[in-house]
Amino acid sequence: MQNPFEIKTSFKRPKTGRALDWEEAALDTQTELEDIFDPERTEPRVAKLWLLTGLIFLILGGRIFYLQIIHGSNYRALSDSNRVRSQSLLAPRGLILDRNNQILAQNVGSFNLMAVPFDLPKNPVDLEAEITKLSESLSLDKSVLVDKISAAKKNPLEPVILAQDVSQNQSVLFQTMASDFIGFSVKQIPAREYINSEVFSHVIGYTGLVGPNDIKPGDKIKYDTVDFIGKSGVEAFYESYLHGKNGQNLVEVDAAGKQLDALGENNPIPGSTLVLNIDKNLQEKLFDDLKKSGNARGAAVALNPKTGQVLALISLPGFDNNLFAHGIKSQEYTSLVQDKHLPLFNRAIAGTYPPGSTVKPMIASAGLEEKIISPDTVINDRGAISIPNQYDPSQQYVFRGWKPGGLGKLTVREAIAMSSDIFFYTVAGGYPNSAVPDGLGAQKLADYYRKFNVGKTWGIDLSGEKNGLVPDPAWKAEYYKKNPILSKWYLGDTYHLGIGQGDMLVTPLQVAEWTAIIANNGVGFRPQVVDKALDQAGREIFKNQPEIIIKKFLSDATLKIVQEGMRQTVLAGTAKPLMSLSITSAGKTGTSQFDGSNPNRTHAWFTAYAPYEDPQIVITVLVEAGGEGNAIAEPVVKNALEWWAENRYRK
């Protein structure tokens, strides 16, 4: 029997049916009335509600998946950046020393104004006000700050340098106001300092802020956005040794980028020390004397003919490479670029000039090897030779020597010593009714130049070396192919090629190298500026070994005659002032025309080696538009050789 005090309540889901009337709804579920649930009535359709709810959860789930899985790492990085930052500790670059361990490049502390775009005020008005106050307080160009910040916003977490080498006073002033400049900081980093910068600017080069095109994709991990990289000279060529390995400093920061705590530090590893073959004191001596010559433009190369070691390499004028290392200003860079003397141009390896009479030892070598002349062949230098036009014999062309009236009868040794143009015109192209009716000819002449590596680079460990040019009939036909007259090769072209004129072009380095080949009995070595690299413990980790580029192709007899001719240049020829040196020497003067409208405008050359019996040094000097080689370039070489004999010569 049912307990009258017990109420039974059913929680079963009602059957689907129509909605109840009020009277029906008022009845208790315990009523015994039948048919209280009308099958025709419909229950509220909650299926749509479930579908909508499910769709909402699906959207939310998708969004969570997108944020957590697909872009989770990005947002985590942004989140962590408000808490933990990795600050690069730039590695000091390796020292650069001369061959006697004298410092040429070292590191000094430099204060740089920096910013992390992510930490800067997000409100443009606040950012504008902050930049304005910063530029006014530190006397900086506001437009430059704005441009650099705008460019850096593509990588907001990467720091950017806004101003290099700010003064210590500016740094102190910033620190007193640091709380007013959210996202900005002044950091001290190692920067380059070059010793006697103008003298060594072209051989050492300079560093600058790393740019997107400065490094290979695989090396990007080695560099920070505020890092420095070698841009030219040794700094660029040996970047892999000089750069070192950056360290890392982990710090905790707040949302404004202010450091709260230091979490750990990985110290940087300094770059390797480079020891050059350059002799600092010899380089300074050559530079000073070249500058005293009174000409604004010139070049000098000194090397060891037995190894290829470069003892000095100078291009005049030089420039202050410290300007680049400490952040060159736009007006300073514009001044350098627009300077008519081109101070950034390395004339020693990239300047190309007609070599003039410095080529005559090579022509003598070719003539002797090809039996065009013998050691006893005599050619009479009357001051000029006249030849008919090969296409129109009625026209006569006169080719004159440097001395009106001529130098008289000469053998090959005497012709080298007195620098006879007539003799070498004849050896190069021949002359009727002379001892040499048929000369070498244009092609054979060009071939011998190339055997001395003229027209090719020597592979010096500096960038920017030029080939120069050895013209021949094929080159001229191609170069002037649109002109049927100029494209032809004339005998006069051969004559000009035989004395280093016409279209022939060489670098001062190439002149020094062919002088070294003759001095070193026919063997030429690759020129090397750097000797070795040392790690921080002083251990040798790299060493440049002598490398032969030109193997011997001349006979001993030929070399001996040519060497004697260059020695006679000093004893009785165009370089007699060198007789007063405390060591023996041999050399060759050169005076080359370069202005067709004014034949009196000439470059001055002189190249020499010493001691004559055991060559240990070659020095070549070029003075642009300097006049006569024996008057302008020769004294510079003489002074340098005398200094070297007194201070460096080891018997």
Side-chain angles (χ1 to χ4, degrees):
M1 181 177 178
Q2 182 175 348
N3 187 344
F5 300 101
E6 182 181 11
I7 300 176
K8 293 183 178 181
T9 304
S10 173
F11 291 97
K12 294 180 180 180
R13 183 177 178 178
K15 299 178 180 179
T16 302
R18 62 179 175 80
L20 300 178
D21 294 334
W22 183 86
E23 294 88 350
E24 296 171 330
L27 295 176
D28 190 277
T29 55
Q30 303 298 318
T31 179
E32 296 181 357
L33 293 177
E34 297 180 1
D35 299 324
I36 200 71
F37 297 101
D38 191 333
E40 296 181 1
R41 295 178 180 266
T42 60
E43 183 183 64
R45 297 186 179 274
V46 295
K48 293 182 179 180
L49 181 60
W50 281 105
L51 181 62
L52 180 61
T53 303
L55 182 61
I56 292 173
F57 275 102
L58 182 63
I59 294 172
L60 291 175
R63 184 61 178 170
I64 292 172
F65 179 83
Y66 175 81
L67 296 175
Q68 294 288 344
I69 305 301
I70 296 178
H71 287 284
S73 60
N74 293 339
Y75 287 105
R76 180 179 297 276
L78 289 174
S79 175
D80 290 344
S81 68
N82 280 325
R83 183 172 57 87
V84 178
R85 288 282 174 83
S86 173
Q87 298 177 344
S88 287
L89 301 176
L90 299 185
R93 291 180 71 82
L95 298 177
I96 300 178
L97 311 177
D98 88 328
R99 66 187 299 110
N100 299 308
N101 294 320
Q102 297 186 82
I103 294 176
L104 301 178
Q106 60 187 359
N107 302 301
V108 295
S110 174
F111 293 99
N112 289 352
L113 175 65
M114 306 172 71
V116 178
F118 183 81
D119 296 332
L120 297 176
K122 303 301 185 288
N123 187 315
V125 176
D126 295 339
L127 178 59
E128 170 77 13
E130 194 166 317
I131 294 175
T132 300
K133 184 176 181 181
L134 182 64
S135 64
E136 292 175 351
S137 300
L138 302 185
S139 301
L140 300 173
D141 189 329
K142 178 182 175 181
S143 62
V144 173
L145 300 181
V146 171
D147 290 343
K148 291 184 176 181
I149 291 172
S150 299
K153 286 183 177 179
K154 297 178 182 178
N155 299 298
L157 292 176
E158 298 287 351
V160 58
I161 293 181
L162 302 179
Q164 289 180 247
D165 213 30
V166 300
S167 69
Q168 188 171 3
N169 289 338
Q170 288 175 309
S171 175
V172 172
L173 178 60
F174 176 89
Q175 299 302 337
T176 63
M177 307 170 64
S179 59
D180 296 336
F181 303 125
I182 299 173
F184 295 94
S185 62
V186 170
K187 302 289 185 183
Q188 185 176 15
I189 64 173
R192 266 314 202 210
E193 180 181 59
Y194 299 108
I195 309 302
N196 208 350
S197 60
E198 186 182 8
V199 176
F200 298 94
S201 54
H202 290 97
V203 66
I204 300 297
Y206 57 87
T207 60
L209 282 173
V210 64
N213 300 321
D214 289 332
I215 51 178
K216 299 176 182 178
D219 291 337
K220 288 185 177 180
I221 192 173
K222 301 177 183 178
Y223 293 85
D224 193 80
T225 55
V226 294
D227 216 335
F228 291 82
I229 192 170
K231 299 282 189 175
S232 70
V234 165
E235 289 276 28
F237 202 92
Y238 289 92
E239 170 66 20
S240 60
Y241 288 99
L242 290 168
H243 180 258
K245 184 178 181 181
N246 291 337
Q248 191 179 51
N249 187 23
L250 292 178
V251 297
E252 184 177 5
V253 299
D254 59 20
K258 183 179 179 180
Q259 182 174 330
L260 301 176
D261 193 15
L263 303 179
E265 184 174 305
N266 181 18
N267 292 325
I269 301 175
S272 302
T273 295
L274 280 188
V275 181
L276 309 189
N277 291 313
I278 298 291
D279 186 315
K280 178 177 182 289
N281 300 113
L282 176 61
Q283 176 109 354
E284 291 171 340
K285 174 63 176 174
L286 271 168
F287 185 90
D288 290 344
D289 285 347
L290 188 59
K291 200 169 184 179
K292 290 175 184 176
S293 70
N295 291 70
R297 303 182 302 275
V301 178
L303 50 83
N304 185 336
K306 296 181 177 180
T307 62
Q309 293 179 333
V310 178
L311 307 177
L313 191 142
I314 295 163
S315 181
L316 190 72
F319 61 94
D320 184 2
N321 43 8
N322 285 307
L323 293 175
F324 291 88
H326 294 269
I328 191 167
K329 297 179 174 59
S330 59
Q331 61 269 30
E332 293 171 335
Y333 183 73
T334 299
S335 177
L336 285 173
V337 172
Q338 294 181 349
D339 189 325
K340 65 179 182 179
H341 298 307
L342 304 178
L344 298 179
F345 182 54
N346 190 343
R347 290 169 165 81
I349 65 172
T352 55
Y353 312 87
S357 296
T358 59
V359 305
K360 289 174 181 175
M362 289 191 288
I363 307 306
S365 300
L368 290 165
E369 285 291 300
E370 294 298 317
K371 311 301 183 186
I372 300 298
I373 56 173
S374 73
D376 300 320
T377 298
V378 174
I379 296 175
N380 192 2
D381 181 346
R382 295 186 175 90
I385 57 176
S386 178
I387 62 170
N389 184 302
Q390 63 196 78
Y391 302 102
D392 183 3
S394 65
Q395 296 185 28
Q396 295 288 315
Y397 295 107
V398 179
F399 293 84
R400 303 185 186 280
W402 65 267
K403 184 176 181 181
L407 296 167
K409 295 180 179 180
L410 304 169
T411 63
V412 64
R413 295 179 181 87
E414 294 167 331
I416 293 173
M418 299 305 295
S419 197
S420 169
D421 293 329
I422 304 304
F423 187 98
F424 289 101
Y425 284 150
T426 306
V427 173
Y431 186 65
N433 303 318
S434 74
V436 185
D438 299 310
L440 287 163
Q443 194 57 58
K444 195 164 288 185
L445 192 58
D447 290 343
Y448 266 88
Y449 278 141
R450 294 183 179 117
K451 287 182 180 181
F452 279 91
N453 211 51
V454 185
K456 304 174 187 176
T457 60
W458 277 88
I460 190 172
D461 45 350
L462 295 173
S463 59
E465 183 188 1
K466 291 295 192 299
N467 293 321
L469 173 64
V470 177
D472 58 21
W475 169 85
K476 192 177 183 187
E478 175 62 25
Y479 190 81
Y480 294 105
K481 59 185 177 182
K482 294 183 179 180
N483 189 315
I485 304 299
L486 294 179
S487 62
K488 294 179 180 179
W489 187 271
Y490 301 92
L491 179 58
D493 294 320
T494 305
Y495 281 177
H496 286 148
L497 189 58
I499 64 166
Q501 289 288 173
D503 294 310
M504 187 177 183
L505 295 172
V506 301
T507 67
L509 175 64
Q510 289 172 330
V511 178
E513 285 287 0
W514 77 57
T515 305
I517 291 173
I518 294 170
N520 194 42
N521 296 317
V523 178
F525 286 87
R526 183 185 303 280
Q528 296 173 337
V529 173
V530 169
D531 177 32
K532 57 190 174 183
L534 307 174
D535 65 13
Q536 294 305 302
R539 294 184 295 260
E540 187 178 286
I541 58 175
F542 167 78
K543 175 73 173 179
N544 256 328
Q545 299 297 331
E547 180 182 351
I548 294 175
I549 300 298
I550 300 299
K551 297 180 180 179
K552 187 174 181 178
F553 63 94
L554 298 172
S555 67
D556 290 337
T558 292
L559 284 165
K560 187 173 186 298
I561 292 167
V562 173
Q563 290 166 354
E564 290 172 350
M566 295 182 71
R567 175 61 176 157
Q568 286 296 315
T569 303
V570 173
L571 296 178
T574 57
K576 284 189 286 186
L578 270 67
M579 286 181 62
S580 64
L581 290 175
S582 59
I583 53 173
T584 58
S585 62
K588 185 69 196 75
T589 53
T591 303
S592 60
Q593 298 174 348
F594 65 93
D595 186 346
S597 63
N598 184 359
N600 293 322
R601 297 192 67 200
T602 57
H603 298 313
W605 289 94
F606 189 67
T607 186
Y609 63 89
Y612 170 68
E613 300 82 5
D614 180 26
Q616 296 177 28
I617 187 172
V618 168
I619 301 180
T620 299
V621 166
L622 161 76
V623 180
E624 281 190 24
E628 297 291 330
N630 62 339
I632 302 298
E634 183 183 304
V636 177
V637 175
K638 178 189 174 184
N639 291 341
L641 284 176
E642 188 60 57
W643 180 93
W644 181 84
E646 294 174 357
N647 296 277
R648 297 290 186 264
Y649 178 40
R650 297 180 179 89
K651 296 182 180 179

